[in-house]
Amino acid sequence: MALSHAILVCLTERPMSGYDLAKFFDTSIAFFWKATHPQIYRELKKLGGQGYVTSAEEVQSGKPNRFVYSITDAGKQALKDWSREPVALPLIKDDLLVRLQAIEYVDKDALREQIRARLAAHREQLGQYHHIRDVRFSDGKPAPEDLGKLMGLELGIQYEQGWIAWCEGVLQRLEGT
Amino acid sequence: MALSHAILVCLTERPMSGYDLAKFFDTSIAFFWKATHPQIYRELKKLGGQGYVTSAEEVQSGKPNRFVYSITDAGKQALKDWSREPVALPLIKDDLLVRLQAIEYVDKDALREQIRARLAAHREQLGQYHHIRDVRFSDGKPAPEDLGKLMGLELGIQYEQGWIAWCEGVLQRLEGT
DNA sequence: AGCATATATGTGTCAATGCACATATGAATT
DNA sequence: AATTCATATGTGCATTGACACATATATGCT
């Protein structure tokens, strides 16, 4: 169970509603985890039951009321306990690479198109990372609490650059085959 | 549903039993997908029901009999159909990166230790990839049916090298914090 | 004699995930 | 006037995945 911890991590940044969290998971720092809103709402209730978060109803006019969740001291302790558990190696799990293994059995035109689309997606993602880095970490020395976020961002940048280079090479070698 | 396709891809290489497939998924080319043996056995039965694989019982003395599965023409067609479907962007989904986001709330000694362990794991994996490349693709020009496997391998090598460099940089910056 | 290991195939179960659907409101667009 | 969009929260269901447990046999180790 790691979604619960990912949510707790998000809530260390600031209190958020389920709706906020869903957007946060969609766009922001959480490139390395994803969740749909039903998952998040369910998980928030579970976390509330465990005492790791508290919720406060925020009355709004015009829009439906929000339930804003904050991490509790018990939640922070749970994060620290979790942080001592060993982490698993993430695996790649990519349809594209599976298809490449059976290159003689797939539709090569479709494959080339998929790689081109993938390349575009990685370039787009890289652009987003660069943008975040520029607006958030433009000055040389990040605050200590931001260091981890910067390093995560740097991993993302390197990761996308690696994929981009690989896609370009693959496309060249697939030309005319 | 992609495990079924990953299995079909494996069976294009050679007919295999469930046991073989489980080992294949554990060690060999399938770095980018994983499956446990109960999953594989169940999936094989489903694939048999769909007519995508056929099984032949192989009588063995001493050991239990094996059921060796082969991909059928219908299975090859299913692979081709699947290869035309768009692929999703894989996401990273890494506990370690989640923890980095909340660096002020985690146990830093544990984190450093986890990164060191991760670094060792990536080096180990890189060694395996290099080994496979050397024994299987030592001569310059791979056969057309192996080109995809080589490119997958190259992605794996680049991927591991990227992680290794990142881990080393992170460990340096985390020293003394 | 007992135990671990490798081969080989399964069942049963629960957690995690994903996706469609459901509901409510106000603002902006067509 | 009708539709779409953004805000906001949920339920229900099917699939996927992970993991413990179950069974059977032969070999090799202690």
Side-chain angles (χ1 to χ4, degrees), chain B residues 19 37-38 41-42 45 60 63 66-67 93:
Chain B
Y19 191 80
H37 74 268
Y41 286 117
R42 267 190 270 247
K45 286 199 171 155
Q60 302 194 128
K63 298 167 203 167
R66 300 154 42 88
F67 293 87
K93 206 169 199 185

Side-chain angles (χ1 to χ4, degrees), chain A residues 93-95 98-99, chain B residues 1-9 25 33 43 79 82:
Chain A
K93 205 168 201 186
D94 187 344
D95 271 48
V98 174
R99 289 177 194 184
Chain B
M1 196 196 303
L3 174 58
S4 58
H5 297 110
I7 288 175
L8 288 177
V9 164
F25 267 83
W33 212 273
E43 201 64 45
L79 260 188
W82 167 69

Side-chain angles (χ1 to χ4, degrees), chain B residues 14-69:
Chain B
R14 58 183 165 86
M16 282 191 250
S17 68
Y19 191 80
D20 292 336
L21 279 164
K23 277 197 300 182
F24 200 71
F25 267 83
D26 225 47
T27 60
S28 180
I29 329 234
F31 326 113
F32 31 76
W33 212 273
K34 87 168 182 183
T36 57
H37 74 268
Q39 264 177 291
I40 290 168
Y41 286 117
R42 267 190 270 247
E43 201 64 45
L44 281 171
K45 286 199 171 155
K46 213 186 288 178
L47 287 169
Q50 291 169 309
Y52 295 160
V53 298
T54 50
S55 64
E57 189 169 2
E58 198 176 274
V59 180
Q60 302 194 128
S61 63
K63 298 167 203 167
N65 291 347
R66 300 154 42 88
F67 293 87
V68 178
Y69 290 84

Side-chain angles (χ1 to χ4, degrees), chain B residues 69-133:
Chain B
Y69 290 84
S70 309
I71 187 168
T72 63
D73 286 341
K76 287 174 188 172
Q77 188 56 49
L79 260 188
K80 195 148 246 168
D81 292 342
W82 167 69
S83 80
R84 292 190 180 106
E85 287 171 26
V87 284
L89 253 187
L91 18 72
I92 304 183
K93 206 169 199 185
D94 189 344
D95 271 45
L96 200 56
L97 292 170
V98 174
R99 289 178 194 184
L100 265 183
Q101 299 299 311
I103 201 166
E104 297 288 292
Y105 297 86
V106 305
D107 184 324
K108 271 192 193 157
D109 288 329
L111 182 65
R112 272 190 288 263
E113 196 43 60
Q114 287 155 13
I115 296 170
R116 277 193 286 268
R118 175 65 70 85
L119 175 56
H122 286 301
R123 282 180 174 153
E124 161 75 20
Q125 190 70 57
L126 179 61
Q128 277 188 35
Y129 290 160
H130 277 153
H131 182 251
I132 294 170
R133 190 188 55 183

Side-chain angles (χ1 to χ4, degrees), chain A residues 112-163:
Chain A
R112 272 189 287 264
E113 197 41 60
Q114 287 155 13
I115 296 171
R116 277 192 286 267
R118 175 65 70 85
L119 174 57
H122 286 301
R123 281 179 177 152
E124 161 74 19
Q125 189 69 59
L126 178 62
Q128 277 189 35
Y129 290 160
H130 277 153
H131 182 251
I132 294 170
R133 191 189 53 183
D134 292 345
V135 300
R136 190 157 174 180
F137 302 101
S138 52
D139 41 358
K141 286 165 197 165
E145 68 270 21
D146 284 342
L147 181 61
K149 282 157 198 158
L150 176 57
M151 295 189 295
L153 199 55
E154 286 171 353
L155 178 97
I157 288 170
Q158 186 190 60
Y159 176 88
E160 301 300 336
Q161 285 172 338
W163 271 101

Side-chain angles (χ1 to χ4, degrees), chain A residues 19 37 41-42 45 60 66-67 93:
Chain A
Y19 190 81
H37 74 267
Y41 286 116
R42 266 191 271 251
K45 287 201 171 155
Q60 302 194 127
R66 302 155 40 88
F67 293 87
K93 205 168 201 186

